[in-house]
Amino acid sequence: MSSEIITLIVSSLTATISAPLGAWLGAKLQSQKYKTEIDSLRAEVQKKLAGVKDSELENVRKANDILVEGIVTPLKKEINSLRRDVDKFRKAVEKIPSCAHADNCPVSRQLQKLEERDNGTESGNAGK
């Protein structure tokens, strides 16, 4: 009878200890599994974010190239053309005093009229 009681006590103790121990060990293994899975998901998210940033940078580069090609380059050409035209005009105007017809030069008169009008407009705006 005493060996039956000891066997019963030992089996009860074993069952009592092994169930929580097994549950604890299982929880630890599951926890480690989930932690590994979470770490891999975080790494995947970081990889995707890096891809998105690369894509955004590429889009900005493309937009900049389009801006330069479509706006900046034509404007530079137009500015250079205007500079050449202004230089030609300035050289022509500078030759007016040496012209034999300088006293009756229609170009000189027109420029003087425009200058007087501009000066009158500026003083008119200052009074308002």
Side-chain angles (χ1 to χ4, degrees):
M1 175 139 168
S2 98
S3 75
E4 289 176 7
I5 293 177
I6 292 177
T7 305
L8 185 63
I9 291 174
V10 168
S11 63
S12 295
L13 266 168
T14 305
T16 305
I17 293 174
S18 67
L21 186 61
W24 177 78
L25 186 59
K28 276 293 203 182
L29 292 174
Q30 283 289 83
S31 173
Q32 188 62 32
K33 175 185 166 190
Y34 290 141
K35 187 175 183 179
T36 304
E37 188 175 333
I38 287 172
D39 289 344
S40 70
L41 288 172
R42 283 184 179 145
E44 186 178 331
V45 166
Q46 289 299 322
K47 200 186 263 187
K48 287 185 180 184
L49 285 175
V52 167
K53 287 181 182 179
D54 288 345
S55 176
E56 287 176 354
L57 286 174
E58 185 61 30
N59 287 342
V60 168
R61 284 187 195 111
K62 286 180 183 178
N64 189 37
D65 290 344
I66 290 170
L67 182 69
V68 168
E69 289 175 16
I71 297 173
V72 174
T73 302
L75 282 177
K76 282 182 177 181
K77 288 178 183 178
E78 182 68 22
I79 287 170
N80 288 333
S81 174
L82 288 171
R83 283 181 181 154
R84 284 191 299 273
D85 291 345
V86 168
D87 284 342
K88 289 177 191 176
F89 180 73
R90 184 181 43 78
K91 287 176 184 175
V93 169
E94 287 174 352
K95 291 183 180 182
I96 290 175
S98 64
C99 179
H101 305 286
D103 294 336
N104 275 336
C105 181
V107 174
S108 178
R109 273 195 312 250
Q110 182 65 33
L111 289 173
Q112 286 175 352
K113 284 181 186 176
L114 291 173
E115 188 175 335
E116 288 171 3
R117 187 187 77 199
D118 288 345
N119 287 339
T121 302
E122 288 176 7
S123 64
N125 285 340
K128 289 184 179 179

